[in-house]
Amino acid sequence: MSHPDDSFIRMSYYLLKDNINKILDYGFGSGVTTMHLAQRNFNVTGLEVSQEAIKLTHQRLTAINATAQLDLYDGAPQLTYSDNSFDAIIAWQSLTYNTPNSFEKIMAEFHRVLKPGGVFLAAISAPGDHIHTTSTPLDNGARQLEAAGQEGATVFIPTEEQLCSLCPTNNLTLGKITLDYQAISNIICKYHLVHYIK
């Protein structure tokens, strides 16, 4: 995939206005959100756990003559960025790879590094998503993956109530995204769309 999904593109154009400059793209994976944001001339910092993903994204940015700061995340409970560092934080389909406890901690860290008036935008797997329906339940929304290459990994599929209780603000706007691929691969993707302004 060389472009973010349509939902991200639409939401980013709607929410990331002229007052937004410095953006943290958390868990950027293949780099499509980072590339999209960099092409829109935002000052993008990408944070990723995979050195291979960083290398790939750097190559992809170079190929389109765009730049972004790409940082390796070691999973530490505290991010290395200063308080109030970012105008916006994007976590598009990357927060699923947490436990309920680590989810709450990273959300508190996002709130810490987000500037007052800053925008938080995320898409998080929701109950009914293919990850939810093909994994084994553990406890409190945590599940264990069974997919090849990810066997045993823990993910967090929160309910709306859990999202509201684990996020550091009561100023959340929640929505839903459903993508139905049953005709070609028997997969349904369901996401919580999470947005707030600090």
Short mmCIF file of all heavy atoms in Angstrom, two decimals, residues 24-31 34 46-55 57 70-77 79 81 93-98 102 106 110 150:
data_model
loop_
_atom_site.label_atom_id
_atom_site.label_comp_id
_atom_site.label_asym_id
_atom_site.label_seq_id
_atom_site.Cartn_x
_atom_site.Cartn_y
_atom_site.Cartn_z
N LEU A 24 3.50 13.75 15.72
CA LEU A 24 4.05 12.45 16.08
C LEU A 24 3.19 11.38 15.43
O LEU A 24 1.98 11.32 15.66
CB LEU A 24 4.07 12.25 17.59
CG LEU A 24 4.55 10.87 18.08
CD1 LEU A 24 6.01 10.63 17.69
CD2 LEU A 24 4.37 10.74 19.58
N ASP A 25 3.81 10.53 14.60
CA ASP A 25 3.12 9.40 13.97
C ASP A 25 3.60 8.15 14.69
O ASP A 25 4.70 7.64 14.43
CB ASP A 25 3.44 9.36 12.48
CG ASP A 25 2.64 8.30 11.73
OD1 ASP A 25 1.74 7.69 12.34
OD2 ASP A 25 2.93 8.08 10.54
N TYR A 26 2.78 7.65 15.61
CA TYR A 26 3.15 6.53 16.48
C TYR A 26 2.85 5.20 15.79
O TYR A 26 1.73 4.97 15.35
CB TYR A 26 2.36 6.63 17.79
CG TYR A 26 2.51 5.43 18.69
CD1 TYR A 26 3.61 5.31 19.52
CD2 TYR A 26 1.55 4.44 18.72
CE1 TYR A 26 3.76 4.22 20.36
CE2 TYR A 26 1.68 3.33 19.55
CZ TYR A 26 2.79 3.24 20.37
OH TYR A 26 2.92 2.15 21.20
N GLY A 27 3.86 4.33 15.73
CA GLY A 27 3.67 3.00 15.15
C GLY A 27 3.39 3.07 13.67
O GLY A 27 2.41 2.53 13.18
N PHE A 28 4.27 3.74 12.91
CA PHE A 28 3.98 4.04 11.51
C PHE A 28 4.10 2.87 10.56
O PHE A 28 3.67 2.95 9.41
CB PHE A 28 4.83 5.22 11.01
CG PHE A 28 6.32 5.02 11.13
CD1 PHE A 28 7.01 4.29 10.18
CD2 PHE A 28 7.02 5.58 12.18
CE1 PHE A 28 8.38 4.12 10.27
CE2 PHE A 28 8.39 5.42 12.28
CZ PHE A 28 9.08 4.68 11.33
N GLY A 29 4.67 1.74 10.99
CA GLY A 29 4.71 0.53 10.16
C GLY A 29 5.33 0.73 8.80
O GLY A 29 6.50 1.08 8.69
N SER A 30 4.55 0.56 7.74
CA SER A 30 5.09 0.68 6.37
C SER A 30 5.31 2.13 5.96
O SER A 30 5.85 2.39 4.89
CB SER A 30 4.13 0.01 5.38
OG SER A 30 2.89 0.70 5.36
N GLY A 31 4.90 3.07 6.79
CA GLY A 31 5.22 4.48 6.56
C GLY A 31 4.23 5.27 5.74
O GLY A 31 4.47 6.43 5.43
N THR A 34 3.09 8.44 7.55
CA THR A 34 4.23 9.35 7.65
C THR A 34 4.49 10.02 6.31
O THR A 34 4.69 11.25 6.24
CB THR A 34 5.49 8.57 8.10
OG1 THR A 34 5.22 7.92 9.34
CG2 THR A 34 6.68 9.49 8.26
N GLY A 46 8.26 10.17 13.26
CA GLY A 46 7.68 8.84 13.30
C GLY A 46 8.32 8.02 14.40
O GLY A 46 9.54 8.09 14.59
N LEU A 47 7.53 7.27 15.14
CA LEU A 47 8.02 6.43 16.23
C LEU A 47 7.59 5.00 15.96
O LEU A 47 6.40 4.72 15.78
CB LEU A 47 7.46 6.93 17.57
CG LEU A 47 8.01 6.28 18.82
CD1 LEU A 47 9.52 6.49 18.94
CD2 LEU A 47 7.30 6.86 20.05
N GLU A 48 8.56 4.08 15.93
CA GLU A 48 8.28 2.70 15.50
C GLU A 48 9.18 1.73 16.25
O GLU A 48 10.33 2.06 16.55
CB GLU A 48 8.52 2.61 13.98
CG GLU A 48 8.40 1.25 13.36
CD GLU A 48 7.05 0.59 13.58
OE1 GLU A 48 6.02 1.20 13.26
OE2 GLU A 48 7.04 -0.55 14.05
N VAL A 49 8.66 0.53 16.55
CA VAL A 49 9.44 -0.48 17.26
C VAL A 49 10.34 -1.30 16.33
O VAL A 49 11.24 -1.98 16.78
CB VAL A 49 8.54 -1.45 18.07
CG1 VAL A 49 7.78 -0.70 19.15
CG2 VAL A 49 7.61 -2.23 17.17
N SER A 50 10.09 -1.25 15.05
CA SER A 50 10.81 -2.08 14.09
C SER A 50 11.88 -1.29 13.33
O SER A 50 11.56 -0.35 12.60
CB SER A 50 9.82 -2.69 13.08
OG SER A 50 10.50 -3.23 11.97
N GLN A 51 13.12 -1.70 13.50
CA GLN A 51 14.22 -1.07 12.76
C GLN A 51 14.04 -1.28 11.26
O GLN A 51 14.34 -0.40 10.46
CB GLN A 51 15.57 -1.64 13.22
CG GLN A 51 16.77 -0.93 12.61
CD GLN A 51 16.88 0.52 13.07
OE1 GLN A 51 16.85 0.82 14.25
NE2 GLN A 51 17.00 1.43 12.12
N GLU A 52 13.51 -2.42 10.87
CA GLU A 52 13.26 -2.70 9.45
C GLU A 52 12.21 -1.75 8.87
O GLU A 52 12.35 -1.26 7.75
CB GLU A 52 12.82 -4.15 9.27
CG GLU A 52 12.84 -4.64 7.84
CD GLU A 52 14.22 -4.57 7.17
OE1 GLU A 52 15.24 -4.76 7.86
OE2 GLU A 52 14.25 -4.31 5.95
N ALA A 53 11.17 -1.46 9.66
CA ALA A 53 10.15 -0.51 9.21
C ALA A 53 10.74 0.89 9.06
O ALA A 53 10.39 1.62 8.12
CB ALA A 53 8.97 -0.50 10.18
N ILE A 54 11.63 1.25 9.96
CA ILE A 54 12.30 2.56 9.86
C ILE A 54 13.12 2.64 8.58
O ILE A 54 13.06 3.63 7.84
CB ILE A 54 13.16 2.84 11.11
CG1 ILE A 54 12.25 3.05 12.32
CG2 ILE A 54 14.10 4.03 10.90
CD1 ILE A 54 12.98 3.16 13.64
N LYS A 55 13.88 1.59 8.31
CA LYS A 55 14.70 1.56 7.09
C LYS A 55 13.82 1.66 5.83
O LYS A 55 14.11 2.45 4.93
CB LYS A 55 15.51 0.25 7.07
CG LYS A 55 16.42 0.10 5.87
CD LYS A 55 17.17 -1.22 5.93
CE LYS A 55 17.94 -1.46 4.67
NZ LYS A 55 18.61 -2.77 4.67
N THR A 57 10.74 2.86 5.55
CA THR A 57 10.09 4.17 5.46
C THR A 57 11.08 5.25 5.04
O THR A 57 10.74 6.13 4.25
CB THR A 57 9.40 4.52 6.80
OG1 THR A 57 8.42 3.50 7.07
CG2 THR A 57 8.73 5.88 6.75
N LEU A 70 12.68 9.79 11.97
CA LEU A 70 12.20 8.44 12.28
C LEU A 70 12.96 7.92 13.49
O LEU A 70 14.17 7.72 13.43
CB LEU A 70 12.39 7.52 11.07
CG LEU A 70 11.72 7.99 9.78
CD1 LEU A 70 12.01 7.01 8.65
CD2 LEU A 70 10.22 8.17 9.96
N ASP A 71 12.25 7.69 14.58
CA ASP A 71 12.85 7.26 15.84
C ASP A 71 12.46 5.83 16.17
O ASP A 71 11.32 5.42 15.94
CB ASP A 71 12.40 8.18 16.99
CG ASP A 71 12.86 9.61 16.81
OD1 ASP A 71 13.87 9.84 16.10
OD2 ASP A 71 12.22 10.50 17.40
N LEU A 72 13.42 5.10 16.75
CA LEU A 72 13.18 3.73 17.20
C LEU A 72 12.60 3.79 18.62
O LEU A 72 13.16 4.45 19.50
CB LEU A 72 14.48 2.93 17.19
CG LEU A 72 14.37 1.45 17.56
CD1 LEU A 72 13.52 0.70 16.54
CD2 LEU A 72 15.76 0.83 17.66
N TYR A 73 11.48 3.12 18.82
CA TYR A 73 10.84 3.07 20.14
C TYR A 73 11.21 1.76 20.82
O TYR A 73 10.96 0.68 20.29
CB TYR A 73 9.32 3.18 19.98
CG TYR A 73 8.55 3.14 21.27
CD1 TYR A 73 8.92 3.93 22.35
CD2 TYR A 73 7.43 2.33 21.41
CE1 TYR A 73 8.20 3.91 23.54
CE2 TYR A 73 6.70 2.30 22.59
CZ TYR A 73 7.09 3.10 23.65
OH TYR A 73 6.37 3.07 24.81
N ASP A 74 11.78 1.88 22.00
CA ASP A 74 12.24 0.69 22.72
C ASP A 74 11.18 0.11 23.65
O ASP A 74 11.44 -0.84 24.38
CB ASP A 74 13.52 1.01 23.50
CG ASP A 74 13.32 2.08 24.57
OD1 ASP A 74 12.17 2.52 24.78
OD2 ASP A 74 14.32 2.47 25.20
N GLY A 75 9.98 0.67 23.64
CA GLY A 75 8.91 0.16 24.48
C GLY A 75 8.94 0.69 25.90
O GLY A 75 8.15 0.24 26.75
N ALA A 76 9.84 1.62 26.20
CA ALA A 76 9.93 2.18 27.55
C ALA A 76 8.61 2.85 27.93
O ALA A 76 7.92 3.40 27.07
CB ALA A 76 11.07 3.19 27.62
N PRO A 77 8.26 2.82 29.22
CA PRO A 77 7.00 3.40 29.63
C PRO A 77 6.90 4.92 29.39
O PRO A 77 5.82 5.45 29.23
CB PRO A 77 6.90 3.11 31.13
CG PRO A 77 8.09 2.31 31.49
CD PRO A 77 8.98 2.18 30.31
N LEU A 79 7.97 8.14 26.97
CA LEU A 79 8.52 8.58 25.69
C LEU A 79 9.66 9.55 25.94
O LEU A 79 9.69 10.24 26.96
CB LEU A 79 7.43 9.25 24.84
CG LEU A 79 6.24 8.38 24.46
CD1 LEU A 79 5.19 9.19 23.71
CD2 LEU A 79 6.68 7.19 23.62
N TYR A 81 10.34 12.29 24.46
CA TYR A 81 10.03 13.66 24.05
C TYR A 81 9.63 14.51 25.27
O TYR A 81 9.06 14.01 26.23
CB TYR A 81 8.91 13.66 23.01
CG TYR A 81 9.18 12.71 21.87
CD1 TYR A 81 8.41 11.56 21.70
CD2 TYR A 81 10.23 12.93 20.98
CE1 TYR A 81 8.67 10.67 20.67
CE2 TYR A 81 10.50 12.04 19.95
CZ TYR A 81 9.72 10.92 19.80
OH TYR A 81 9.99 10.04 18.79
N GLN A 93 -4.11 2.60 13.65
CA GLN A 93 -4.08 1.14 13.65
C GLN A 93 -2.81 0.57 14.29
O GLN A 93 -2.33 -0.49 13.90
CB GLN A 93 -4.27 0.60 12.23
CG GLN A 93 -5.58 1.01 11.62
CD GLN A 93 -5.74 0.55 10.18
OE1 GLN A 93 -4.93 -0.20 9.66
NE2 GLN A 93 -6.80 1.00 9.54
N SER A 94 -2.27 1.28 15.27
CA SER A 94 -1.05 0.81 15.93
C SER A 94 -1.21 0.56 17.42
O SER A 94 -0.38 -0.11 18.02
CB SER A 94 0.09 1.82 15.70
OG SER A 94 -0.28 3.10 16.17
N LEU A 95 -2.24 1.06 18.05
CA LEU A 95 -2.41 0.91 19.49
C LEU A 95 -2.96 -0.45 19.91
O LEU A 95 -2.98 -0.78 21.09
CB LEU A 95 -3.31 2.01 20.05
CG LEU A 95 -2.65 3.37 20.15
CD1 LEU A 95 -3.67 4.45 20.45
CD2 LEU A 95 -1.55 3.36 21.19
N THR A 96 -3.37 -1.25 18.95
CA THR A 96 -3.90 -2.58 19.26
C THR A 96 -2.83 -3.44 19.94
O THR A 96 -3.14 -4.26 20.80
CB THR A 96 -4.39 -3.27 17.97
OG1 THR A 96 -5.44 -2.47 17.43
CG2 THR A 96 -4.91 -4.66 18.24
N TYR A 97 -1.57 -3.22 19.59
CA TYR A 97 -0.49 -4.06 20.10
C TYR A 97 -0.05 -3.58 21.49
O TYR A 97 1.07 -3.13 21.70
CB TYR A 97 0.66 -4.10 19.11
CG TYR A 97 0.23 -4.79 17.84
CD1 TYR A 97 -0.30 -4.07 16.78
CD2 TYR A 97 0.29 -6.18 17.73
CE1 TYR A 97 -0.75 -4.71 15.62
CE2 TYR A 97 -0.16 -6.82 16.59
CZ TYR A 97 -0.68 -6.08 15.54
OH TYR A 97 -1.13 -6.71 14.42
N ASN A 98 -0.97 -3.68 22.43
CA ASN A 98 -0.76 -3.30 23.82
C ASN A 98 -1.54 -4.24 24.72
O ASN A 98 -2.39 -4.99 24.24
CB ASN A 98 -1.29 -1.86 24.06
CG ASN A 98 -0.27 -0.80 23.73
OD1 ASN A 98 0.73 -0.65 24.43
ND2 ASN A 98 -0.51 -0.07 22.65
N SER A 102 -0.49 -1.28 29.42
CA SER A 102 0.43 -0.50 28.57
C SER A 102 -0.34 0.51 27.71
O SER A 102 0.18 1.60 27.42
CB SER A 102 1.30 -1.41 27.71
OG SER A 102 0.54 -2.15 26.78
N ILE A 106 0.62 4.47 27.62
CA ILE A 106 1.00 5.20 26.41
C ILE A 106 0.02 6.34 26.15
O ILE A 106 0.43 7.41 25.68
CB ILE A 106 1.16 4.26 25.18
CG1 ILE A 106 1.93 4.97 24.05
CG2 ILE A 106 -0.17 3.76 24.65
CD1 ILE A 106 3.34 5.34 24.36
N PHE A 110 1.06 10.15 25.60
CA PHE A 110 0.60 10.98 24.48
C PHE A 110 0.05 12.30 25.01
O PHE A 110 0.34 13.37 24.48
CB PHE A 110 -0.48 10.27 23.67
CG PHE A 110 -0.02 9.11 22.85
CD1 PHE A 110 -0.91 8.13 22.46
CD2 PHE A 110 1.31 8.99 22.43
CE1 PHE A 110 -0.50 7.05 21.69
CE2 PHE A 110 1.72 7.91 21.66
CZ PHE A 110 0.81 6.95 21.29
N GLN A 150 2.58 -14.22 14.27
CA GLN A 150 2.25 -13.41 15.45
C GLN A 150 1.73 -14.27 16.60
O GLN A 150 1.17 -13.75 17.56
CB GLN A 150 1.20 -12.35 15.10
CG GLN A 150 1.69 -11.33 14.11
CD GLN A 150 0.67 -10.22 13.92
OE1 GLN A 150 -0.53 -10.44 13.95
NE2 GLN A 150 1.16 -9.02 13.73
#
